[in-house]
Amino acid sequence: MLYRLLSCVTRKATASAFYRLPALIMKPQVYFVLGGPGAGKGTQCAKIVEKYGYTHLSAGDLLRAERGRPGSEFGELIENYIRDGKIVPVEITISLLQRAMEETMKSNEENNKFLIDGFPRNEDNLQGWNRTMDGKADVKSVLFFDCCNEVCIDRCLERGKSSGRSDDNRESLLKRIQTYVQSTKPIIELYEKQGKVHTIDASKTVDDVFAHVQKIFDKEG
Ligand code: ADP
Ligand code: C5P
Ligand code: MG
């Protein structure tokens, strides 16, 4: 199979591209990062980036950036979904993720290790990923930052004192938690059945949580 792929690629490759062969067959290697709002996904991703050289793509951050982009046709829709704690239609999110992955790999094709944070958050997200990325990226596994709803809410309310986020308030948070329980948990359970989930106790201190994360990455790369 690999031989067939290689010979096919070689036939198509020009002489100058030959030396880039390993990069040509490099696919994005992806960890999905999930957990309730405020579980510490972003905090831990930053530490993984620093130590293991991954690229962190937060679906929420990408949506907020698109919301704020002058002339964006989706700005208002995104803001309404975010404030209501609902999940934006996947066509928007996946195109932002895809573009960000392409941009990252364009500068250096070997930058193919990604943490995709806050995705897939519901069935629509998952189906959109499968439709668009099937065969184009490898999902290595899911990092599930497990934290009870009360701690998640407290952390977001604390973050809300300085984040400026329109959804770090009690009203939005109750909706976000509901979305998490009703729509995201079943996705985590689906991956669990495939033996693809690392469950991490995210209620501990940042350093203790990262100690667990390091055990995973030291083993898996
Ligand atoms: P998420 O990306 O999952 O929404 P963040 O990483 O933004 O979560 O963290 C939410 C808030 O909680 C931030 O203010 C962050 O500083 C804080 N925080 C993150 N991890 C911990 C932790 N393990 N213990 C206490 N506070 C934390
Ligand atoms: O992950 P984060 O807390 O930054 O997400 C904030 C909000 O962005 C979510 O509550 C949701 O409204 C939106 N979002 C989404 N689809 C995703 C990720 C985030 O609609 N896959
Ligand atoms: Mg976050």
Side-chain angles (χ1 to χ4, degrees):
M1 174 67 197
L2 182 63
Y3 171 74
R4 278 223 317 268
L5 182 66
L6 278 172
S7 61
C8 169
V9 171
T10 328
R11 259 184 274 122
K12 285 185 180 166
T14 62
S16 65
F18 176 78
Y19 297 100
R20 295 167 62 221
L21 198 52
L24 282 174
I25 57 172
M26 245 177 203
K27 272 196 232 171
Q29 302 294 305
V30 171
Y31 278 93
F32 287 145
V33 181
L34 293 173
K41 301 181 293 295
T43 303
Q44 294 298 323
C45 284
K47 295 176 85 64
I48 298 168
V49 167
E50 198 181 323
K51 178 150 187 194
Y52 299 98
Y54 277 70
T55 297
H56 175 211
L57 299 179
S58 155
D61 285 349
L62 289 168
L63 287 165
R64 282 184 286 273
E66 176 63 21
R67 175 188 62 184
R69 189 174 61 80
S72 167
E73 56 179 313
F74 303 119
E76 202 181 321
L77 179 148
I78 292 172
E79 173 54 17
N80 290 336
Y81 273 77
I82 286 182
R83 217 179 330 102
D84 279 347
K86 291 193 304 193
I87 307 303
V88 171
V90 70
E91 288 73 17
I92 297 175
T93 316
I94 203 89
S95 72
L96 296 172
L97 283 170
Q98 235 185 336
R99 194 187 313 152
M101 280 194 279
E102 280 166 16
E103 287 292 315
T104 306
M105 290 182 70
K106 200 162 74 183
S107 55
N108 180 354
E109 287 170 0
E110 286 176 23
N111 286 343
N112 68 332
K113 301 192 307 183
F114 293 96
L115 303 166
I116 300 195
D117 163 2
F119 187 96
R121 248 178 162 120
N122 66 1
E123 188 62 36
D124 177 54
N125 274 190
L126 181 60
Q127 284 182 12
W129 175 271
N130 289 338
R131 270 196 310 274
T132 318
M133 299 304 290
D134 195 30
K136 294 187 195 157
D138 294 330
V139 178
K140 288 167 76 95
S141 55
V142 176
L143 302 178
F144 168 36
F145 290 98
D146 191 12
C147 195
C148 70
N149 296 341
E150 292 71 26
V151 171
C152 281
I153 290 173
D154 286 348
R155 285 186 188 169
C156 288
L157 289 176
E158 192 56 35
R159 181 177 63 188
K161 290 177 184 168
S162 58
S163 67
R165 283 178 53 161
S166 59
D167 60 347
D168 278 346
N169 58 74
R170 199 170 284 281
E171 197 189 341
S172 294
L173 274 162
L174 293 177
K175 296 176 183 170
R176 291 164 70 191
I177 293 285
Q178 195 180 19
T179 299
Y180 169 63
V181 171
Q182 286 178 353
S183 306
T184 311
K185 273 284 188 68
I187 303 298
I188 298 168
E189 281 156 16
L190 213 84
Y191 277 111
E192 233 154 25
K193 287 196 192 115
Q194 300 171 20
K196 277 194 148 187
V197 178
H198 293 288
T199 300
I200 298 155
D201 181 353
S203 64
K204 296 183 177 170
T205 65
V206 170
D207 287 347
D208 284 347
V209 176
F210 192 57
H212 189 167
V213 168
Q214 285 176 92
K215 282 193 187 143
I216 297 165
F217 280 84
D218 285 343
K219 219 191 254 172
E220 296 190 3

